[in-house]
């Protein structure tokens, strides 16, 4: 055969030994002979060197040294094509092996992990080349191997290479036995695909170094899309890698502690290809700001353009960070295992089963999982950390000290110390703008533009309210629509359509009747009907989201939560009535604009309420104004003064709780004051002491927390609704935000939510951010308390739906039709 004297033949595999074998350690252990020529081509063969020559490859600043290529030839039979590649390997000083069968090829590949594999694809009767390629690709080590298919020269038209690519081949070689053609092909492969794969292999070493680095490292693309963060970044910032990869850098929340123009200064510098280094406040996932020494380096790539940015972040004044982190972990571990004699401890594995019989074991296990998540909540406030330290200290303290610390904990849990630090404006374009639009009072701006809506919508009782409907006179079609109003999957939009956009009056009549509100207030049904109608009349039907349908939806969710066993154990009848009334009025006269907008516009309401909880204060105040100024709709007329004061205070407190600036405060206090003490009791004593559980559930402070949490969850429960309802609500709130952005641009006001531009907004991204930032932790806590598996399943389904659209880079509510 053409190169027989330079090939070592065995029964199964043929090894070229032009270099020392893979197992040899001496360059003298070779089996080569010099040839004067090759009968197949007449070309001379190059003598093979007995020394291994390392090839130097530059990989950025890294200098790599590569052994001669390892090549595996897979040809069932010897022919001029296989001989051509044998000769080419000799000439190029590559180490060459030849296999005749797929089995021997796989065995040889697993042993030597070749850089290049050339498979004969011309004769399917010998073996299935594509199946062999798939088998090789199934091996992890083949990731950086280049596999070439030798194909027949086409007789007629050119065939597609897609079947080869799908099988795992990198490229094809149209049969050509000319030895120089084979040699040229190998050289091109060596300096092209093979070298690229070699650099990729070397990249693994670089990533290993990044993974082990104690500094937080972030790599973004030229468009500032996050492509990599290392474990140190995850540890310092509190994010998981999967929460960041693929997000634009502007989608990650920013700290309000930086100077307003700092980000612009940084971007201006690095976009010119210059390195930026300085002090920067980053915002952790839990809302805390952390001061860091940051160095951002642009990486020049193809075309001389910036292709990546590498950010290296080192926390300032944090030399003992790892020690303190270890101490914190140890403290929490001690907290997890402290003895049951201290009944108010934080536990590492928590179960919040009710003291009464409350469902199946599967439900209990799911609730156990919910409380485990509560323990690792990312919204932990500074006061929570203080409580954890005190808990840990109690473990090794004498009884008098432990009891004193119990009293300290009791005091801490009844004070306003649960708010984490939150940004005001510098968040990402989705989480960021939601926070900016919902949780702040905007940028104050001296402007002649004033947004006045109160004079446009006079608050009076419309004339059609003089003959209100009776509960017994509800049309059958509407009554039928409300038959399943006690189900979570009740469709509020069907009721909206059936009532011609007046769902609040009808649903209110039925729900208030079911809860006996008229009996409690000692008011006639006609008064309640008039009140419901005047309240609904003061909702703006022109708003796409904040209209009476939203109020009816929140009322429905409130009624649903009030029927949950744990909630019923906690609240009194006056609390239930307050919750139903608060849900009904919580957004009355909402203008379809956020608090930030009203403050920026210098509206009458913003001035009246000093830019603080503007809308929520207005909703509560207006509700009582229009209720008490006309006896025909004054539902409070016949209750005793002290009871009215109690009821009024509860309603106001719940309406104000829907204001988002204190979102995390309410959630944190609920978790720390109710969920964790309940779970600790139950874990220490099985189902816990019934009296102790009751004292936690019914204390005045905790009843307030339950009511706040209840209306908050009802108010933003859209992501926990059935998917079609969730999608409809998402479309409505997006449209309302789009309209606000349009008006801000028309009036020259600051745009508080820039991503909500109807021409560019990604609705899936906005929903994902809203769920991540506001919904998940809150509903984990509420589910752990009230046991809501159906809501959590809907939440999971809806998140996957939005994520699926976002992964496809779709910006719309729904995917395009097939």
């Amino acid at each position: 055969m053409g190169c027989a004297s330079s090939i070592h033949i065995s029964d199964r595999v043929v090894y070229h030994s032009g270099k020392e074998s893979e197992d040899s350690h001496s360059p003298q252990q070779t089996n080569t002979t010099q040839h004067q020529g090759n009968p197949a081509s007449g070309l001379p063969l190059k003598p093979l060197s007995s020394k291994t020559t390392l090839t130097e490859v530059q990989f950025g600043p890294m200098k790599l040294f590569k052994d001669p290529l390892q090549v595996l030839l897979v040809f069932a039979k010897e022919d001029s094509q296989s001989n051509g590649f044998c000769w080419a390997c000799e000439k190029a000083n590559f180490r060459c092996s030849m296999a005749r069968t797929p089995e021997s090829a796989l065995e040889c590949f697993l042993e030597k992990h070749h850089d290049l594999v050339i498979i004969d694809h011309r004769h399917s009767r010998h073996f299935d080349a594509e199946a062999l390629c798939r088998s090789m690709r199934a091996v992890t080590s083949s990731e950086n191997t280049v596999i070439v298919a030798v194909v027949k020269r086409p007789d007629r038209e050119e065939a597609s290479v897609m079947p080869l690519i799908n099988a795992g081949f990198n490229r094809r070689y149209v049969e050509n036995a000319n030895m120089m053609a084979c040699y040229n092909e190998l050289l091109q492969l060596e300096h092209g695909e093979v070298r690229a794969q070699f650099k990729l292999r070397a990249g693994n070493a670089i990533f290993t170094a990044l993974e082990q680095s104690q500094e937080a490292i972030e790599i973004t693309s030229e468009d500032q899309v996050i492509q990599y963060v290392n474990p140190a970044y995850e540890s310092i910032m509190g994010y998981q890698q999967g929460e960041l990869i693929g997000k634009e850098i502007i989608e990650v929340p920013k700290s309000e502690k930086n100077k307003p123009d700092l980000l612009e200064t940084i971007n201006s510098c690095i976009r010119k290809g210059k390195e930026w280094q300085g002090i920067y406040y980053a915002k952790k996932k839990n809302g805390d700001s952390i001061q860091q020494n940051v160095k951002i380096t642009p990486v020049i790539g193809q075309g001389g353009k910036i292709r990546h940015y590498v950010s290296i972040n080192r926390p300032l004044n944090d030399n003992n960070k790892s020690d303190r982190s270890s101490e914190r972990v140890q403290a929490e571990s001690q907290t997890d295992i402290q003895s049951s004699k201290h009944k108010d401890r934080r536990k590492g594995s928590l179960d919040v089963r009710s003291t009464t019989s409350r469902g199946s074991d599967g439900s209990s296990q799911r609730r156990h999982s919910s409380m485990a998540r509560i323990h690792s909540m990312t919204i932990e406030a500074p006061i929570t950390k203080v409580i954890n330290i005190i808990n840990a200290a109690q473990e090794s303290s004498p009884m008098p000290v432990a009891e004193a610390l119990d009293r300290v904990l009791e005091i801490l849990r009844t004070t306003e110390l649960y708010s984490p630090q939150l940004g005001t404006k510098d968040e990402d374009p989705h989480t960021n703008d939601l926070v900016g639009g919902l949780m702040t009072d905007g940028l104050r701006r001296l402007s002649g533009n004033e947004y006045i809506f109160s004079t446009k919508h006079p608050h009076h009782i419309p004339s059609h309210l003089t003959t209100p409907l009776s509960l017994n006179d509800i049309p059958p079609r509407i009554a039928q629509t409300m038959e399943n109003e006690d189900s979570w999957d009740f469709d509020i939009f069907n009721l909206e359509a059936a009532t011609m956009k007046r769902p609040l009056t009808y649903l209110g009549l039925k729900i208030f009747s079911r809860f006996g509100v008229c009996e409690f207030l000692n008011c006639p049904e006609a008064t309640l009907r008039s009140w419901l109608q005047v309240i609904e009349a003061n909702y703006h039907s022109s708003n796409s989201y904040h209209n009476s349908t939203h109020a009816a939806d929140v009322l429905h969710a409130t009624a649903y939560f009030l029927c949950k066993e744990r909630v019923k154990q906690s609240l009194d009848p006056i609390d239930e009535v307050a919750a139903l009334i608060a849900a009904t009025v919580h957004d009355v006269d909402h203008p379809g604009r956020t608090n930030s907008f009203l403050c920026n516009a210098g509206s009458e309401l913003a001035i009246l309420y000093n830019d603080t909880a503007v809308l929520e204060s207005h909703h509560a105040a207006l509700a009582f104004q229009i209720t008490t100024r006309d006896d025909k709709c004054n539902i409070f007329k016949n209750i005793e003064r002290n009871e009215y004061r109690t009821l009024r205070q509860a309603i106001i407190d719940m309406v104000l709780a829907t204001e988002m600036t204190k979102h995390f405060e309410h959630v944190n206090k609920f978790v720390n004051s109710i969920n964790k003490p309940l779970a600790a009791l139950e874990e220490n004593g099985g189902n816990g002491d019934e009296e102790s559980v009751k004292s936690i559930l019914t204390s005045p402070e905790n009843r307030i927390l339950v009511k706040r949490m209840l209306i908050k969850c009802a108010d933003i429960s859209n992501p926990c609704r059935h998917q079609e309802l969730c999608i409809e609500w998402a479309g409505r709130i997006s449209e309302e935000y789009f309209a606000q952005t349009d008006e801000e641009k028309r009036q020259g006001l600051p745009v508080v939510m820039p991503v909500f531009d109807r021409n560019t907004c990604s609705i899936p991204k906005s929903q994902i951010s809203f769920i991540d930032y506001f919904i998940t932790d809150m509903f984990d806590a509420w589910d752990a308390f009230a046991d809501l598996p159906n809501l959590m399943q809907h939440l999971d389904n809806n998140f996957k739906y939005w994520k699926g659209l976002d992964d496809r880079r779709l910006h719309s509510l729904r995917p395009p039709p097939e």
Side-chain angles (χ1 to χ4, degrees):
M1 68 184 191
C3 47
S5 56
S6 63
I7 299 289
H8 204 162
I9 303 177
S10 69
D11 292 337
R12 301 180 64 192
V13 184
V14 184
Y15 299 99
H16 172 267
S17 54
K19 296 290 177 211
E20 68 270 29
S21 70
E22 192 72 4
D23 298 326
S24 66
H25 301 284
S26 169
Q28 281 75 35
Q29 293 177 352
T30 58
N31 184 21
T32 60
T33 56
Q34 182 174 336
H35 286 268
Q36 301 301 318
N38 187 295
S41 63
L43 294 173
L45 289 178
K46 181 181 178 181
L48 298 181
S49 169
S50 62
K51 298 181 72 175
T52 299
T53 304
L54 298 179
T55 303
E56 183 179 307
V57 178
Q58 196 72 26
F59 185 30
M62 189 175 182
K63 189 169 291 187
L64 309 175
F65 297 92
K66 190 178 187 315
D67 289 325
L69 252 62
Q70 294 252 30
V71 181
L72 173 61
L73 304 177
V74 187
F75 287 78
K77 292 186 176 181
E78 177 191 347
D79 62 8
S80 58
Q81 185 66 76
S82 64
N83 289 342
F85 277 119
C86 286
W87 179 88
C89 287
E90 286 183 12
K91 182 173 178 62
N93 282 333
F94 296 164
R95 294 173 179 168
C96 179
S97 307
M98 181 173 287
R100 299 298 188 197
T101 67
E103 294 79 8
S104 59
L106 274 173
E107 180 181 334
C108 185
F109 179 74
L110 290 172
E111 178 187 348
K112 294 182 175 292
H113 308 293
H114 303 80
D115 304 293
L116 174 63
V117 179
I118 300 175
I119 302 175
D120 188 2
H121 190 280
R122 297 169 298 165
H123 308 294
S124 58
R125 66 181 181 276
H126 295 312
F127 58 79
D128 187 340
E130 292 179 17
L132 174 58
C133 184
R134 290 191 189 95
S135 297
M136 288 184 172
R137 288 299 185 203
V139 179
T140 306
S141 59
S142 73
E143 180 182 357
N144 300 117
T145 299
V146 177
I147 306 181
V148 179
V150 179
V151 300
K152 288 182 178 179
R153 187 173 298 279
D155 295 330
R156 298 173 185 171
E157 59 181 339
E158 188 79 10
S160 170
V161 298
M162 281 310 300
L164 297 177
I165 293 172
N166 291 335
F169 288 99
N170 296 89
R171 61 183 291 163
R172 69 172 186 176
Y173 175 80
V174 178
E175 63 178 349
N176 183 349
N178 181 278
M179 296 199 173
M180 281 306 296
C182 295
Y183 178 68
N184 289 336
E185 177 69 5
L186 290 185
L187 292 181
Q188 292 179 78
L189 286 167
E190 181 193 22
H191 292 273
E193 283 97 328
V194 174
R195 181 162 294 184
Q197 293 297 330
F198 178 62
K199 290 181 179 181
L200 286 177
R201 285 202 299 274
N204 290 333
I206 297 172
F207 277 109
T208 300
L210 295 178
E211 293 282 289
Q212 299 300 321
S213 173
Q214 297 302 305
E215 296 175 319
I217 298 173
E218 176 189 71
I219 300 176
T220 62
S221 69
E222 58 192 306
D223 299 319
Q224 296 199 337
V225 174
I226 299 173
Q227 297 181 323
Y228 170 82
V229 295
N230 68 342
Y233 185 103
E234 293 177 291
S235 175
I236 293 171
M237 301 303 294
Y239 288 94
Q240 295 297 313
Q241 196 177 62
E243 295 174 292
L244 296 172
I245 302 302
K247 280 191 173 183
E248 294 180 17
I249 196 74
I250 55 175
E251 294 180 56
V252 181
K254 307 293 185 299
S255 172
E256 74 280 9
K257 292 189 174 183
N258 295 305
K259 293 180 179 179
D261 59 348
L262 180 59
L263 280 177
E264 185 176 342
T265 301
I266 295 172
N267 287 329
S268 175
C269 176
I270 62 177
R271 283 171 182 163
K272 294 176 183 176
K274 299 178 181 178
E275 183 175 275
W276 183 88
Q277 183 168 359
I279 305 302
Y280 180 83
Y281 283 93
K283 174 168 278 191
K284 299 166 71 171
K285 185 178 178 181
N286 66 5
D288 291 343
S289 291
I290 179 171
Q291 192 178 28
Q292 297 180 324
N293 191 331
V294 176
K295 180 191 286 186
I296 305 176
T297 304
V299 180
I300 307 300
Q302 184 181 11
K305 295 181 179 179
I306 297 171
R307 299 300 181 183
H308 296 89
Y309 297 97
V310 176
S311 175
I312 301 176
N313 315 315
R314 183 187 298 111
L316 290 181
N317 302 322
D318 209 9
N319 296 330
N320 299 320
K321 179 180 188 305
S322 60
D323 294 339
R324 291 205 301 276
S325 176
S326 175
E327 290 169 6
R328 179 177 61 81
V329 172
Q330 292 171 9
E332 291 182 357
S333 298
Q334 291 171 1
T335 304
D336 293 344
I337 61 173
Q338 59 193 293
S339 66
S340 61
K341 63 183 177 183
H342 304 307
K343 63 183 181 182
D344 227 353
R345 312 293 186 266
R346 175 179 178 177
K347 296 296 176 180
S349 177
L350 301 175
D351 189 352
V352 286
R353 290 185 294 272
S354 170
T355 55
T356 60
S357 177
R358 293 166 44 89
S360 66
D361 290 340
S363 173
S364 297
Q365 291 170 0
R366 184 189 59 76
R367 286 160 54 71
H368 185 287
S369 172
S370 291
M371 272 312 300
R373 291 197 301 276
I374 293 303
H375 237 1
S376 59
M377 284 174 66
T378 58
I379 59 173
E380 189 169 66
I383 188 62
T384 308
K385 299 173 183 177
V386 171
I387 290 175
N388 291 339
I389 293 170
I390 295 173
N391 280 333
Q394 283 181 312
E395 174 65 19
S396 56
S397 299
M399 181 57 70
V401 176
E403 290 175 351
L405 291 175
D406 269 336
R407 291 195 293 275
V408 171
L409 290 172
E410 185 177 343
I411 294 169
L412 289 176
R413 287 189 174 118
T414 58
T415 57
E416 299 296 324
L417 299 173
Y418 289 84
S419 295
Q421 294 175 333
L422 292 174
T424 55
K425 181 126 174 74
D426 293 337
E427 306 291 325
D428 65 78
H430 298 96
T431 302
N432 165 42
D433 288 0
L434 288 168
V435 171
L438 301 178
M439 298 189 68
T440 71
D441 295 320
L443 299 171
R444 292 303 298 131
R445 176 187 174 104
L446 295 175
S447 168
N449 298 310
E450 289 201 349
Y451 189 79
I452 303 172
F453 62 88
S454 57
T455 57
K456 298 178 185 177
H457 303 281
H459 314 301
H460 63 278
I461 302 176
S463 58
H464 70 266
L465 297 182
T466 55
T467 55
L469 291 166
S470 165
L471 180 61
N472 297 324
D473 295 334
I474 291 177
R477 182 166 62 94
I478 296 176
Q480 184 178 3
T481 304
M482 294 193 296
E483 279 182 353
N484 70 329
E485 55 85 16
D486 58 346
S487 164
W488 182 253
D489 289 333
F490 170 67
D491 191 334
I492 194 68
F493 299 116
N494 284 343
L495 182 62
E496 178 190 63
T499 60
M500 300 176 64
K501 296 189 176 181
R502 292 172 56 206
L504 184 58
T505 298
Y506 291 96
L507 186 64
L509 281 171
K510 185 163 186 185
I511 288 178
F512 278 51
S513 174
R514 175 154 64 91
F515 280 84
V517 174
C518 283
E519 292 81 355
F520 182 89
L521 296 174
N522 191 27
C523 77
E525 185 189 25
T527 303
L528 174 64
R529 294 196 302 268
S530 296
W531 179 80
L532 284 168
Q533 288 180 307
V534 73
I535 292 297
E536 182 156 39
N538 281 280
Y539 276 91
H540 300 192
S541 60
S542 57
N543 292 344
S544 59
Y545 183 88
H546 286 103
N547 49 41
S548 68
T549 304
H550 168 65
D553 183 62
V554 175
L555 174 62
H556 170 264
T558 299
Y560 182 83
F561 294 152
L562 288 173
C563 293
K564 306 310 288 184
E565 186 64 33
R566 183 60 72 71
V567 178
K568 288 195 292 184
Q569 290 176 16
S570 179
L571 302 184
D572 292 335
I574 193 170
D575 298 314
E576 294 181 354
V577 172
L580 295 171
I581 294 173
T584 303
V585 305
H586 83 283
D587 271 336
V588 67
D589 198 38
H590 197 295
R593 300 292 181 264
T594 64
N595 280 332
S596 297
F597 178 95
L598 298 181
C599 294
N600 289 335
S603 73
E604 290 180 352
L605 285 181
I607 294 170
L608 177 63
Y609 292 111
N610 301 312
D611 292 353
T612 303
V614 175
L615 283 172
E616 293 73 24
S617 299
H618 175 61
H619 302 322
L622 179 63
F624 281 95
Q625 287 172 4
I626 61 181
T627 300
T628 58
R629 71 184 174 197
D630 190 331
D631 283 352
K632 291 180 181 178
C633 61
N634 188 354
I635 57 176
F636 305 126
K637 181 180 180 181
N638 296 325
I639 62 174
E640 190 265 336
R641 180 182 298 275
N642 288 337
E643 196 168 43
Y644 169 70
R645 292 288 299 275
T646 302
L647 187 63
R648 170 175 158 79
Q649 188 55 49
I651 293 168
I652 293 171
D653 185 81
M654 292 183 73
V655 173
L656 293 181
T658 63
E659 197 241 340
M660 294 299 287
T661 61
K662 293 190 175 182
H663 171 82
F664 293 107
E665 175 182 338
H666 294 319
V667 176
N668 261 309
K669 292 192 72 173
F670 180 82
V671 169
N672 286 287
S673 298
I674 299 177
N675 275 357
K676 290 180 180 178
L678 281 176
L681 277 179
E682 295 179 3
E683 182 154 303
N684 285 337
N687 281 333
D689 174 42
E690 188 171 343
E691 282 303 312
S692 299
V693 170
K694 184 177 179 182
S695 69
I696 293 172
L697 291 176
T698 60
S699 72
E701 298 88 353
N702 286 352
R703 280 167 51 206
I704 291 173
L705 297 183
V706 170
K707 286 182 288 184
R708 289 175 182 172
M709 191 74 163
L710 185 151
I711 197 167
K712 282 182 60 60
C713 289
D715 187 29
I716 54 175
S717 64
N718 303 157
C720 298
R721 291 287 189 180
H722 185 277
Q723 189 171 100
E724 280 304 310
L725 304 181
C726 172
I727 294 171
E728 176 65 23
W729 283 123
R732 292 187 177 203
I733 191 62
S734 298
E735 176 53 40
E736 196 164 289
Y737 289 161
F738 294 159
Q740 173 170 313
T741 299
D742 292 343
E743 184 165 356
E744 286 165 334
K745 291 178 179 179
R746 284 196 302 271
Q747 292 196 29
L749 295 172
V751 178
V752 297
M753 296 186 288
V755 296
F756 284 98
D757 183 312
R758 65 177 69 252
N759 298 315
T760 59
C761 179
S762 167
I763 294 178
K765 279 187 184 297
S766 71
Q767 288 296 306
I768 290 169
S769 296
F770 183 64
I771 291 171
D772 275 341
Y773 200 78
F774 293 108
I775 296 297
T776 302
D777 283 342
M778 183 174 74
F779 272 92
D780 273 342
W782 188 234
D783 169 48
F785 179 80
D787 192 17
L788 303 161
N790 50 337
L791 276 72
M792 302 309 287
Q793 186 60 58
H794 283 318
L795 178 59
D796 186 53
N797 293 342
N798 292 331
F799 183 84
K800 290 176 180 175
Y801 173 80
W802 297 121
K803 193 71 171 65
L805 293 182
D806 186 46
D807 288 345
R808 295 168 62 183
R809 301 187 182 279
L810 298 175
H811 287 195
S812 55
L813 285 169
R814 292 180 173 84
E818 294 294 336

